[in-house]
């Protein structure tokens, strides 16, 4: 058994109270233990928070965590798998991201290349693929797998249900779709009726095994913070759909002066609220991670009571907490005071 050496730094806060800082630290959505271990090996070995995030998310892509990260899972309506990913440096506030990327499996590495070698924040679609390949990543390659094709085929046999369309009429059971001539509109907004005319909660479309994201935060030995995400998006999404994964402030956000946040769940709803930006700004104003996470989730739940999602918050001192709605959430942590990854369970 190895011996882990770590340092606990004590500094004096603005209120004169001693604060213990324990790092390095790795925090990730879900029990993606191998991804956390990969990030920990990097950061514990002296690598930067940014590089550790890349190693952790890349491991999840290679392992195809839950079938919802990396290639080979979550087919869209055409049966194709595409990749969304993001990385953010909490020191410089630089962000690199790719969305709806085809033919390239290395989402998080492509996102880092956007951050390193362009003055842009987000590249999308086939042009993101071309950029990634030009920067040395392998491709083009088929991102589908036998599992994803089998899943897609069963969905087609079920008349392409459930899906993400609303207020449309299909030419046949699987489209193409056209807007209704006379839409069923409620006062103040559109109906959420599906094609059968029955109200369908969004929670039936989104769950832990059909729409998931690894969102990882790392604090390195210098106390620098970075975050990253990777996902292949919502299963049976409409081609071209981009969720919260590559959107800074929604799926993840980091500021070394404050801390970080990672999110997972129904990205189409969550991205309307920028929950991770909200969490970090709440912590900046002095709110502890537990309350900041709970507040961000409750803001969404008040408007969308049937949404499914979660956030995990960590402040610059390494204090972490999660909050969720619509499901039981788990997140993983590796710190200097543990000998392996710990999984924390958060109840809705």
């Amino acid at each position: 058994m190895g011996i882990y050496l770590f340092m606990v730094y004590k500094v004096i806060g603005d209120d004169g109270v001693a604060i213990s800082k324990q790092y390095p630290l790795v925090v990730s959505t879900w029990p993606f233990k191998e991804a956390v271990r990969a990030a920990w090996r990097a950061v514990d070995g002296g690598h930067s928070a940014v590089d550790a995030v890349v190693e952790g998310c890349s491991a999840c892509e290679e392992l195809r965590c839950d079938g919802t990260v990396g290639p080979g899972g979550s087919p869209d309506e055409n049966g194709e798998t595409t990749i969304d990913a993001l990385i953010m440096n909490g020191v410089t506030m630089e962000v690199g991201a790719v969305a709806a990327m085809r033919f390239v499996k290395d989402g998080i590495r492509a996102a880092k290349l956007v951050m390193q070698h362009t003055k842009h924040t987000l590249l999308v679609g086939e042009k993101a693929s071309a950029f990634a390949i030009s920067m040395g990543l392998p491709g083009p390659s088929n991102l589908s797998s036998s599992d994803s094709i089998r899943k897609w085929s069963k969905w087609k046999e079920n008349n392409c249900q459930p899906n993400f369309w609303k207020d449309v009429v299909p030419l046949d059971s699987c489209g193409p779709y056209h807007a209704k001539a006379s839409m069923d509109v409620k006062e103040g907004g559109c109906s959420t009726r599906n094609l059968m005319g029955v109200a369908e909660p969004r929670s039936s479309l989104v769950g832990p095994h059909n729409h998931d994201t690894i969102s990882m935060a790392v604090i390195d030995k210098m106390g620098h913070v970075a975050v990253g995400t990777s996902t292949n998006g919502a299963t049976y999404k409409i081609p071209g759909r981009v969720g919260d994964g590559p959107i800074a402030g929604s799926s993840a956000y980091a500021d070394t002066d404050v801390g970080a946040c990672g999110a997972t769940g129904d990205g189409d709803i969550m991205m309307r609220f920028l929950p991770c930006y909200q969490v970090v700004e709440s912590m900046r104003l002095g709110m502890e991670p537990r309350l900041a996470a709970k507040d961000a989730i409750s803001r969404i739940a008040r408007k969308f009571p049937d949404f499914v999602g979660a956030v995990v918050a960590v402040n610059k001192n390494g204090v972490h907490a999660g909050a969720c709605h619509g499901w039981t959430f788990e997140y993983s942590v590796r710190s200097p005071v543990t000998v392996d990854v710990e999984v924390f369970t958060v109840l809705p």
Side-chain angles (χ1 to χ4, degrees):
M1 180 180 295
I3 299 175
Y4 293 90
L5 300 177
F6 65 94
M7 298 183 69
V8 177
Y9 299 87
K10 285 190 178 291
V11 299
I12 304 300
D14 294 337
D15 57 0
V17 177
I19 302 171
S20 295
K21 294 187 176 182
Q22 296 183 0
Y23 37 71
L25 178 74
V26 180
V27 179
S28 172
T29 54
W30 304 114
F32 297 150
K33 293 184 178 181
E34 290 304 319
V36 173
R37 288 173 182 140
W40 176 260
R41 286 192 295 270
V43 74
D44 193 44
H47 290 276
S48 70
V50 167
D51 288 340
V53 165
V54 170
E55 292 304 310
C57 290
S58 181
C60 220
E61 292 170 346
E62 293 173 6
L63 292 168
R64 300 182 177 184
C65 290
D66 276 354
T68 59
V69 179
S74 298
D76 64 17
E77 283 193 339
N78 292 335
E80 183 180 7
T81 298
T82 56
I83 304 293
D84 297 341
L86 169 146
I87 191 161
M88 181 172 187
N89 185 334
V91 177
T92 64
M93 308 306 287
E94 292 175 294
V95 175
V98 292
M101 186 172 70
R102 309 173 69 193
F103 312 131
V104 176
K105 64 182 179 64
D106 299 297
I108 192 67
R109 297 190 189 279
K112 185 184 178 185
L113 289 169
V114 173
M115 185 174 72
Q116 281 184 311
H117 298 299
T118 82
K119 295 181 180 180
H120 298 309
T121 293
L122 174 65
L123 299 181
V124 303
E126 291 188 31
K127 298 302 183 182
S129 309
F131 165 80
I133 293 169
S134 75
M135 290 290 103
L137 292 181
S141 58
N142 184 357
L143 302 188
S144 297
S145 67
S146 57
D147 287 340
S148 69
I149 294 300
R150 182 166 52 251
K151 181 185 295 185
W152 177 70
S153 297
K154 289 183 178 179
W155 178 74
K156 293 280 284 187
E157 292 171 2
N158 193 43
N159 297 319
C160 300
Q161 295 294 327
N163 62 44
F164 288 92
W165 292 90
K166 67 177 184 179
D167 296 317
V168 295
V169 176
L171 184 62
D172 59 40
S173 59
C174 288
Y177 301 94
H178 302 282
K180 289 182 179 179
S182 177
M183 294 171 60
D184 179 13
V185 179
K186 295 180 179 180
E187 183 177 353
C190 293
S191 168
T192 58
R193 295 178 181 272
N194 65 14
L195 297 178
M196 300 300 292
V198 179
E200 179 179 49
R202 289 185 62 88
S203 57
S204 68
L205 297 171
V206 178
H209 300 296
N210 71 352
H211 181 307
D212 205 354
T213 304
I214 180 170
S215 186
M216 177 177 284
V218 174
I219 306 178
D220 64 24
K221 291 184 175 181
M222 299 295 292
H224 298 159
V225 183
V227 292
T229 68
S230 184
T231 181
N232 48 42
T235 310
Y236 316 129
K237 63 190 175 186
I238 298 170
R241 178 263 189 185
V242 174
D244 66 330
I247 306 302
S250 186
S251 66
Y253 198 72
D255 186 335
T256 290
D257 295 336
V258 182
C261 168
T264 181
D266 189 344
D268 289 297
I269 296 298
M270 297 180 76
M271 68 195 298
R272 302 170 189 177
F273 294 83
L274 297 179
C276 276
Y277 178 78
Q278 180 66 52
V279 165
V280 172
E281 290 308 300
S282 293
M283 293 193 298
R284 190 190 306 276
L285 296 175
M287 195 177 290
E288 62 181 86
R290 179 181 62 85
L291 294 178
K294 184 177 180 180
D295 176 66
I297 289 294
S298 66
R299 289 170 184 253
I300 306 173
R302 282 196 292 270
K303 296 288 187 178
F304 294 91
D306 64 353
F307 102 97
V308 174
V311 297
V312 58
V314 55
N315 69 18
K316 64 181 180 181
N317 300 319
V319 178
H320 54 82
C324 62
H325 183 84
W327 58 10
T328 297
F329 172 56
E330 294 178 298
Y331 69 94
S332 304
V333 177
R334 180 68 167 91
S335 73
V337 297
T338 64
V339 295
D340 199 4
V341 180
E342 290 187 332
V343 177
F344 292 80
T345 300
V346 182
L347 300 177

